[in-house]
Amino acid sequence: MRVQGGRREGGLSFAIIAACIMTTAVVVSVDGPHMTLPAVFRPDSELEAAARPPAAESARPDTSRRPPTRKPWQATEGEQPQKTVVEAQTLALAAAKWRLGRSPLTAPSDATVPRSPVTTTAIPVIRRIPTQDRVVFLTVDDGAEKDPAFMDMVRDLNIPFTAFISDYVSRDNYSYFRELSRLGNGVENHTVNHPELTRLAADGQRSQICNQQNILEKEIGRRPSLFRPPYGAYNDATLSAAKACGSKAAVLWTVEAFPDRLEYSGDLKLHPGDIILTHFRGPEQWRGSMTDMLRRVVNEATAQGFAFGRLDAYLQRMHPTSPAA
Ligand SMILES: [Zn+2]
């Protein structure tokens, strides 16, 4: 599998600016999708520098030891949360660095979603989270492309997502997914070899799902609690096997994202609780990079007034007996 070379986008100036603004710590209100930056610091030239196209590969510093920057959510229900000046400016700089239209919105800290009973014989199948919160959920499948710039971008922008990975395309570099997990993202089960499960007998399905549970527990250090059937294809045997191996829910999707577009299933817009499917793919597979894809998704969500929520938090609230987190 190909590992795309890293790219660095204005890293030095970004770090300098972030260090400068760390001297201020005042709370400001962030009002809906339009965030107003305080006038204490307007590093226009640095912002332009930060927004320049990627530098040469050799200029990329080693960021592997950089501590995670994800912060706990601070929102109150129904409003955009308050951010400190530091948080707002850091996010604005990250948005400029990754050439977004605006800073991404921040999800509410408390998931608002009704409880839902779970049967004892099969796991629930989730296509959309039944919430009125203005959140959507990003899920990224398979695992072939392991783009370091994508990891930098989700960390800088504080975008949570859930990876559903298959061993056959992930096994050459599980350290990439370990790092994504360490940064707070879900790494979940998408079978060992990505077969169409409905073509397999029950024992074949069970080995595809249970073996991947065991592999991910060993490689990532956490046993998955979520499962996504390849191609969205499942039957009763699939749901029984997944439950027997420790999965708490089968997660499908309502929207699919590519570097150049989102494909909606209904009325061409996002809805609260939509689950967005995309893939670990590179330019050879879809004429764009993973950062191009993420830029498209985040800009669309922000423009439509949506933040990115944590899938595990919402599922935990829906099914409180499930230790999804
Ligand atoms: Zn897949």
Side-chain angles (χ1 to χ4, degrees):
M1 285 306 122
R2 178 172 167 274
V3 179
Q4 178 170 310
R7 297 183 310 185
R8 196 68 200 148
E9 307 197 2
L12 182 58
S13 58
F14 178 74
I16 292 170
I17 297 160
C20 290
I21 61 178
M22 293 299 274
T23 57
T24 316
V26 183
V27 173
V28 294
S29 176
V30 178
D31 179 17
H34 303 285
M35 187 176 65
T36 304
L37 278 177
V40 294
F41 196 79
R42 286 302 303 262
D44 290 331
S45 59
E46 286 86 346
L47 279 174
E48 287 171 16
R52 274 200 293 268
E57 190 170 326
S58 59
R60 178 187 167 77
D62 177 11
T63 59
S64 59
R65 291 189 181 79
R66 188 192 298 171
T69 57
R70 178 150 300 150
K71 294 182 174 62
W73 296 339
Q74 304 174 321
T76 52
E77 189 178 326
E79 337 178 308
Q80 272 292 287
Q82 292 204 325
K83 294 186 182 74
T84 65
V85 169
V86 169
E87 288 169 335
Q89 288 190 333
T90 301
L91 192 59
L93 289 166
K97 169 186 172 184
W98 294 101
R99 291 179 283 130
L100 298 184
R102 295 200 303 242
S103 293
L105 302 177
T106 303
S109 60
D110 200 17
T112 305
V113 65
R115 291 189 178 193
S116 175
V118 177
T119 69
T120 54
T121 56
I123 56 174
V125 178
I126 311 288
R127 284 186 173 76
R128 176 183 279 143
I129 299 294
T131 181
Q132 293 308 306
D133 293 347
R134 298 288 291 179
V135 292
V136 292
F137 303 91
L138 183 64
T139 63
V140 190
D141 280 17
D142 299 348
E145 182 80 7
K146 300 154 187 86
D147 184 348
F150 175 73
M151 193 184 307
D152 287 348
M153 189 172 176
V154 291
R155 180 184 51 213
D156 288 349
L157 296 168
N158 208 17
I159 304 290
F161 72 97
T162 304
F164 288 94
I165 61 175
S166 287
D167 179 70
Y168 84 115
V169 284
S170 306
R171 64 168 70 114
D172 64 339
N173 188 4
Y174 268 121
S175 65
Y176 181 82
F177 300 101
R178 264 196 302 279
E179 180 63 8
L180 287 178
S181 174
R182 195 185 71 78
L183 292 170
N185 303 292
V187 177
E188 306 287 352
N189 188 334
H190 197 43
T191 73
V192 175
N193 293 313
H194 206 275
E196 189 173 336
L197 289 168
T198 51
R199 296 173 178 271
L200 300 182
D203 59 345
Q205 296 200 41
R206 189 169 173 135
S207 84
Q208 280 290 328
I209 299 168
C210 295
N211 287 346
Q212 184 67 348
Q213 289 287 97
N214 297 336
I215 290 168
L216 291 179
E217 183 173 15
K218 174 172 171 283
E219 295 288 350
I220 305 299
R222 173 190 160 273
R223 191 167 180 83
S225 58
L226 303 177
F227 168 69
R228 172 169 281 165
Y231 316 104
Y234 67 94
N235 55 24
D236 290 346
T238 315
L239 304 182
S240 299
K243 186 176 183 69
C245 305
S247 291
K248 305 301 182 188
V251 179
L252 302 182
W253 61 91
T254 46
V255 177
E256 185 166 357
F258 301 86
D260 60 345
R261 69 191 186 283
L262 268 63
E263 288 190 352
Y264 299 92
S265 50
D267 52 5
L268 306 183
K269 63 182 184 180
L270 293 170
H271 297 268
D274 267 341
I275 297 172
I276 301 172
L277 162 70
T278 188
H279 291 86
F280 289 98
R281 287 179 185 159
E284 291 164 1
Q285 288 88 39
W286 61 5
R287 289 182 293 174
S289 67
M290 291 199 69
T291 56
D292 292 333
M293 176 278 296
L294 188 61
R295 183 178 303 111
R296 172 75 54 176
V297 172
V298 175
N299 277 338
E300 283 277 342
T302 307
Q304 296 184 43
F306 287 92
F308 291 87
R310 292 194 65 93
L311 187 59
D312 53 2
Y314 277 80
L315 289 172
Q316 174 77 34
R317 181 62 64 91
M318 283 174 69
H319 309 301
T321 57
S322 305

